[in-house]
Each structure stands twice: as C-alpha cells, then as structure tokens.
Amino acid sequence: MKIYNGLSGTFQEYRGGHFHGGIDLKTFQKTGYPVMAVSDGHILRIRMVKRGSGRALYLKHRDGHVSVYFHLDRFAPVLEKMTRRIQRQKRKKYFGNYYPKETIRFKRGEVIAYSGETGSGFPHLHLEIRDADNNALDPVPFFKYPGKENRNPVIKTALIKPVEAGTIDGKIGKRFFRFHKMSNGRYQLNRPLIS
C-alpha cells in the first residue's frame, strides 16, 4: 500500500487509557487497498474479532520482529481460504486468534490483505512493529518515505502518571500538563512540576 501524506494516528499518542501501539494510515474513506508485507516472513497469527482489531494478521519476520495489520477487509486468497475453514470448524465468524500449524510465507512487497474498516469506526490501516519480546516499536523508522521530513516534533501536552503511590503537585493520579511556545520558538511547561 503506497499512501503519501496519509498518517491519521501516530505511535504512542495517548488514547483514553492507553498509548497507541502503532500508526494509522489513512485510506481516505475507502476500503480494498492492497496491503503488502513490510518484510519477508511467515504468518504467525490470524485474528478475527468483531470489535477492536477486527480482521488482523501478524507476520513474523526473519529477524524476530512481528508486523501487525488491523482492520482488514479481506486477506490474500490462501489466508481467506484458511479463515473460511477455521470459521466452519469453530462454527463462529469471529473465532479470536488462530496460530497456523502450516508455514505460510510472504515476501516483502507481496499482498497479504486488503484494507478495510473491520472492528473500528472508519476505513484505515493500523500497522504495528513489535520486537521479539512483544514490545511495540515506532514503525516509521522501518520505512523509506519519498520525501524528507524537515520539521521537528512539537510536544504541546504531556500526560504524567506517578509510579506506585507517588504524587504530582501533591495530588494522586495522572495529570495532563500543557506547554507554551516561548519567544525563542521552544516549548516550556506553563509552570514548574513538583513530584
């Protein structure tokens, strides 16, 4: 899938109780764009759930990383056939996770699925990269984009959560802090932070 200027969600942005584990790629209110394997690998998991990730694939790379693709409309034909077989066996459309016993390999750039809107409210592709310990990694450094980004990121707010029974500014629980732009172009907290 080649979509330029198409990020609608970034890595680690805070979303009501959790941090986003990947990036969301816009599909401009359409489904059916080809989704290609980001690396050589084999299918580790097929996931079918009604809410959340929807139709999803987990591709294990040779280096141990795993690429994760959510909200898919349909899979590549070999995976669609397997999915229908699993649905018949389990007598469920949404069977949860399935770990194939046979090895199904894909090369980088091969179509593994098609973008959709399953499990979520609008068409887009959610993409994650996880390391061998299942930690989420920022997917952006794994790709080469046609243009160079020459803007630095700007942090306008931060969520700070105390460890265990700690406090922030004498209060228990997480707190949001805002930054303001200074005359030199840098951002600074509106007031000092006391832990």
Side-chain angles (χ1 to χ4, degrees), residues 10 13 39 43-44 64 70 85 130 133 135 141 143 147 168 195:
T10 58
E13 67 186 23
S39 181
I43 297 299
L44 177 66
F70 285 177
R85 187 186 78 223
R130 297 181 182 176
D133 294 321
N135 297 308
F143 305 102
I168 300 171
S195 62

Side-chain angles (χ1 to χ4, degrees), residues 47 52-58 68-73 115-116 118 124-128 130:
R47 182 170 170 81
S53 60
R55 281 177 163 252
L57 289 176
Y58 294 68
V68 182
Y69 312 81
F70 285 177
H71 315 304
L72 302 169
D73 183 58
S115 68
T118 60
H124 72 286
L125 174 68
H126 173 90
L127 173 67
E128 293 182 15
R130 297 181 182 176

Side-chain angles (χ1 to χ4, degrees), residues 12-21 159 161 174 176:
Q12 292 297 301
E13 67 186 23
Y14 187 72
R15 294 188 173 183
H18 73 283
F19 290 96
H20 194 227
L159 172 71
K161 186 175 179 182
K174 58 190 173 191
F176 277 99

